[in-house]
């Protein structure tokens, strides 16, 4: 591939290549844009979700499969401690979570899945979204779950 540009355009193009804003090949670009489909298995059914391709989302996906006990927190979210902290250096300072958000609360190092909207929270990082029925999480009881990747061949029919 031959690219012809000078001055500011050449500097901008070089910066984009070096920072990964643009890729060298279609295969590399596809890898950057891919999301990871997950399933949260409960005693009452499965919940589908998708993780973002952020640094924290990828680090969470690398910990899967996980067996956790989700505990209710303020009748708003289900939380569980993770086996290892997730990197958050490129994440915003916080987010305003909405129903279905799969998040990481960096100050405590825990997973939080919101089944009700909540106010802006510093240290909260969005990992992904639930794409299924959240009613399975709305019980105030603690619940054992298994979170795992959906195999690629079944994730993209």
């Amino acid at each position: 591939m031959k690219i012809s540009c000078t001055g500011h355009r050449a500097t901008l193009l070089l910066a984009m290549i070096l920072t990964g804003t643009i890729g060298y090949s279609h295969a590399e670009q596809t890898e950057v844009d891919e999301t990871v489909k997950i399933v949260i298995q409960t005693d009452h059914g499965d919940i589908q979700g998708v993780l973002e391709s952020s640094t924290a989302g990828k680090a969470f996906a690398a910990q899967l499969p996980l067996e956790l006990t989700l505990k209710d927190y303020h009748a708003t979210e289900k939380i569980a401690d993770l086996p290892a902290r997730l990197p958050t250096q490129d994440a915003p300072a916080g987010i305003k979570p909405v129903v279905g958000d799969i998040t990481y609360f960096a100050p405590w190092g825990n997973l939080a899945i919101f089944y009700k909207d909540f106010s802006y929270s510093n240290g909260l990082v969005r990992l992904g979204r639930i794409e299924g029925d959240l009613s399975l999480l709305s019980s105030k009881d603690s619940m054992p779950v298994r979170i795992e990747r959906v195999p690629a061949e079944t994730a993209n029919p």
Side-chain angles (χ1 to χ4, degrees):
M1 167 172 65
K2 181 178 179 184
I3 298 174
S4 175
C5 52
T6 60
H8 178 70
R9 282 188 168 162
T11 303
L12 179 60
L13 180 61
L14 180 59
M16 292 173 73
I17 291 170
L18 293 175
T19 61
T21 306
I22 61 174
Y24 291 104
S25 70
H26 176 69
E28 288 174 337
Q29 191 65 36
T30 300
E31 183 179 329
V32 170
D33 293 338
E34 283 185 13
T35 54
V36 174
K37 297 225 180 237
I38 61 168
V39 61
I40 303 170
Q41 300 167 343
T42 75
D43 290 341
H44 303 290
D46 294 348
I47 305 165
Q48 302 293 321
V50 63
L51 299 177
E52 296 178 353
S53 62
S54 65
T55 302
K58 289 176 183 178
F60 177 68
Q63 291 186 11
L64 300 178
L66 287 172
E67 299 208 14
L68 305 169
T69 299
L70 294 178
K71 298 175 187 164
D72 199 69
Y73 192 72
H74 291 293
T76 303
E77 61 190 286
K78 292 290 192 203
I79 65 170
D81 292 330
L82 293 176
R85 291 196 168 267
L86 303 178
T88 60
Q89 66 272 10
D90 64 347
I95 63 165
K96 182 182 184 320
V98 296
V99 171
D101 276 348
I102 303 168
T103 65
Y104 172 67
F105 189 55
W108 293 355
N110 70 306
L111 178 70
I113 303 172
F114 285 83
Y115 61 89
K116 288 188 181 172
D117 292 343
F118 194 66
S119 59
Y120 176 89
S121 299
N122 277 322
L124 196 60
V125 177
R126 185 172 291 111
L127 300 175
R129 300 260 321 132
I130 297 292
E131 293 184 329
D133 182 10
L134 279 168
S135 67
L136 296 173
L137 297 179
S138 62
S139 158
K140 291 191 180 183
D141 298 329
S142 293
M143 61 176 54
V145 298
R146 178 177 171 85
I147 305 173
E148 61 185 36
R149 290 174 180 251
V150 174
E153 59 274 1
T154 59
N156 300 314

